[in-house]
Amino acid sequence: GANCWIYPYSDATNGGSVLFTAQDMRIATNAGFNADAKGFYPAGPGNSGINRGGAAYGGRGGQSGGTTYGSSNAPVLPGSTGGAQSAPTGGGRGGGVVRISATRRVTVDGTITANGIADGGDSGGGAGGSVYIRCLTFAGAASGVIRAKGGDAGAVVNAGGGGGGRIAIWRTRHMWSGSLTYPASVSPGQYGVPAADPGTIVWGWTTETGSIFVAH
C-alpha cells in the first residue's frame, strides 16, 4: 500500500536472499521494495581488493575494479562491496536482491530499488544488486520505477564507481509503462579514472501453461 516499504536484506556472506511469492502482487505509488545497500559485506565475489576500486556484479567496477559474476537471465545474487584504500573491505556496500514470483500478475506502480551506495569517504562504490521478476502479466503505470545502479566513487583521485546490477523480468503479457533506471546509469570515474561498466537487463518472454481436461 501507499507509503509502505519492504526492506529485503541478503545474507552478507553467502548472498542468500528472500523469494517473495504471490498469486497477484501490486506495488502502490510511493511504496515498494528497497534493497539499497543490503548486499554482500564486507567484500563479495566482485570486490576489487586494495585499490579503492569499485565493486562489480553485472558490470565491472571502475578504476580496475572487481570482475563480474552471476547470471543475467536469472539474477539471484546481491552486489559486492567496493575496495578501500588499504584493505579489501570498507567501501560502499552493494545492492541486495528483490526477487518476486507470481502465478498471475505483478503490477509495479511504485518503486523497486537495489542500488549500491558510496561509503561517504575515499573508497570504491558498491555494485548494484538484483531485481528478478517472473509472472504472467507484468503491468503498471508510468509512476513505476525499477533501479539497480552502482554506487558512486569516493571523492579521491583514484576511487572507482560501482558496476551496474542485474535486472531480469520474465512475463507472458507486458502492460507496464514505467521506467527503468537502467544499470548503465552507473557513476562515472572520478577525476578521469576508468568508469564502471553498465550492468545487464533482460526482458524475457514466458509461455502460459495450463491443464486440459477432457470429459467423456
Side-chain angles (χ1 to χ4, degrees), residues 37 40-43 55 80-84 90-95 116-120 123-127 151-152:
F40 282 114
Y41 191 83
S80 294
T81 295
R93 191 161 178 165
I117 63 168
D119 77 329
S123 302
D152 290 339

Side-chain angles (χ1 to χ4, degrees), residues 48-66:
S48 61
I50 306 172
N51 64 357
R52 292 196 182 107
Y57 177 33
R60 182 191 56 84
Q63 203 275 68
S64 302

